[in-house]
Amino acid sequence: MTATTHIPSRVGVFGSFWRDANAVQKAAALIGVTLVLMAVLAQAIAPYDPLQQSLISRLRPPQGFERHKPGFLLGTDELGRDVLSRSLFGLQLTLGLALAGACLGLLIGGTLGLLAGLRRGWAEDVTMAAVDLQIAVPFTLLALLILALFGTSLTVMVCVLGIAGWEQYARIVRAEVRKITELPFIEAARASGGGQRYVALTHVLPNIVSPLVVQFTLSFSNIVILESTLSFLGLGVQPPTATLGTMVGYGRDYMPTAPWLVIAPAALIVLITFSVQILGDWLRDRADVRLRVR
């Protein structure tokens, strides 16, 4: 009889993840998947053009309320635009900006923290000096300065969101790398002829995935809030393009008479941050190699 090695399929791995998750984690996963699908399919499922205006239909309440207009499920805004369609396109842009910003921050901070932890010396001194400078300056003021100087294009917004929180990645990666490189198995890898790149990719990076996952989820949520704050102040993506933050910002003046203008985008922001935080803790537990070997 020939022994065979069973290699778990991706479906089996996903099934294991799902079975091990509790009710809150499953709910967060379903919410996250739903939000991503809504954003990806916004062009297909949005009932109207998000920029289409109709002043005779302005400030109509959602379906089921008096004076509602048939076909506008979540009502219309101050220019008669469909709130549901604008929420879908705003969700798409907000998630895209947050993902791009979080990835850029991870790339910058993770690279600098890895270099500082491995090379030590002047590389570490320069990196930590930049980290201290970033922490000392309130980032909102820095963001306002950058946007005032370079405008509010999507490229500038991604860069602003990307440098938000890179110092946290750098500090975490540097501390983890310094701790890991002092362990015996790293010394053994170096003694066996492993170069710096081999040690970093094979032994260091797999052991810092867990804190990076947690920091990425925190950063993603913070970037969603930051983008919404800047858009709320009128310094984010400019109209008529919709993000969740701009919708909340422009709807605040109508809250006493038309609260639905704020409820829909604000609810999406809350759902994004909730699902990302819960999924981050879940993935942290699954990705931590130190937990898997116990």
Side-chain angles (χ1 to χ4, degrees):
M1 180 180 294
T2 304
T4 58
T5 302
H6 176 66
I7 301 176
S9 64
R10 293 183 180 180
V11 176
V13 173
F14 176 80
S16 176
F17 278 24
W18 185 257
R19 287 192 301 271
D20 294 341
N22 57 39
V24 176
Q25 292 167 344
K26 290 180 179 178
L30 292 175
I31 291 173
V33 170
T34 302
L35 291 175
V36 171
L37 289 176
M38 289 169 58
V40 172
L41 301 176
Q43 283 82 355
I45 63 179
Y48 299 97
D49 184 343
L51 304 181
Q52 180 181 347
Q53 302 180 13
S54 176
L55 294 180
I56 62 174
S57 302
R58 65 188 301 267
L59 297 179
R60 293 296 184 93
Q63 199 82 19
F65 289 85
E66 188 179 357
R67 290 185 60 252
H68 79 270
K69 185 172 182 179
F72 293 86
L73 184 62
L74 298 182
T76 60
D77 65 5
E78 72 279 6
L79 296 177
R81 296 171 296 192
D82 181 41
V83 173
L84 174 59
S85 299
R86 290 182 63 78
S87 297
L88 291 173
F89 279 85
L91 174 66
Q92 183 184 70
L93 187 53
T94 296
L95 286 180
L97 289 173
L99 181 60
C103 290
L104 183 59
L106 172 61
L107 178 63
I108 296 173
T111 301
L112 292 177
L114 187 62
L115 290 175
L118 290 175
R119 293 188 176 276
R120 311 288 175 93
W122 67 268
E124 184 177 21
D125 294 338
V126 171
T127 299
M128 297 315 297
V131 167
D132 293 337
L133 180 62
Q134 174 84 351
I135 295 175
V137 178
F139 184 77
T140 302
L141 296 179
L142 180 60
L144 294 177
L145 176 62
I146 295 174
L147 293 173
L149 292 176
F150 299 102
T152 56
S153 66
L154 289 180
T155 303
V156 176
M157 279 295 297
V158 169
C159 293
V160 169
L161 298 176
I163 62 176
W166 72 267
E167 75 281 359
Q168 299 298 329
Y169 288 110
R171 294 180 68 182
I172 291 173
V173 172
R174 168 185 170 270
E176 290 294 320
V177 169
R178 285 179 64 97
K179 179 175 67 176
I180 292 171
T181 52
E182 295 175 358
L183 296 177
F185 74 94
I186 297 293
E187 296 295 332
R190 288 173 175 168
S192 63
Q196 191 125 314
R197 178 180 299 180
Y198 171 80
V199 171
L201 296 177
T202 306
H203 298 290
V204 176
L205 285 180
N207 285 278
I208 63 175
V209 168
S210 175
L212 284 180
V213 167
V214 175
Q215 182 57 37
F216 186 87
T217 57
L218 291 173
S219 178
F220 189 93
S221 301
N222 290 336
I223 288 176
V224 170
I225 301 299
L226 175 62
E227 185 278 325
S228 301
T229 301
L230 294 175
S231 298
F232 183 85
L233 296 174
L235 296 171
V237 178
Q238 296 301 299
T241 304
T243 65
L244 299 180
T246 57
M247 293 182 66
V248 173
Y250 283 98
R252 70 183 185 274
D253 296 331
Y254 299 90
M255 286 185 65
T257 57
W260 61 87
L261 300 185
V262 174
I263 291 175
L268 289 175
I269 293 174
V270 172
L271 290 175
I272 291 171
T273 54
F274 166 77
S275 60
V276 170
Q277 293 287 355
I278 298 299
L279 291 176
D281 289 340
W282 183 24
L283 292 175
R284 184 272 313 274
D285 295 338
R286 302 295 304 192
D288 195 335
V289 297
R290 290 167 294 186
L291 294 177
R292 291 205 305 264
V293 299
R294 290 177 182 177

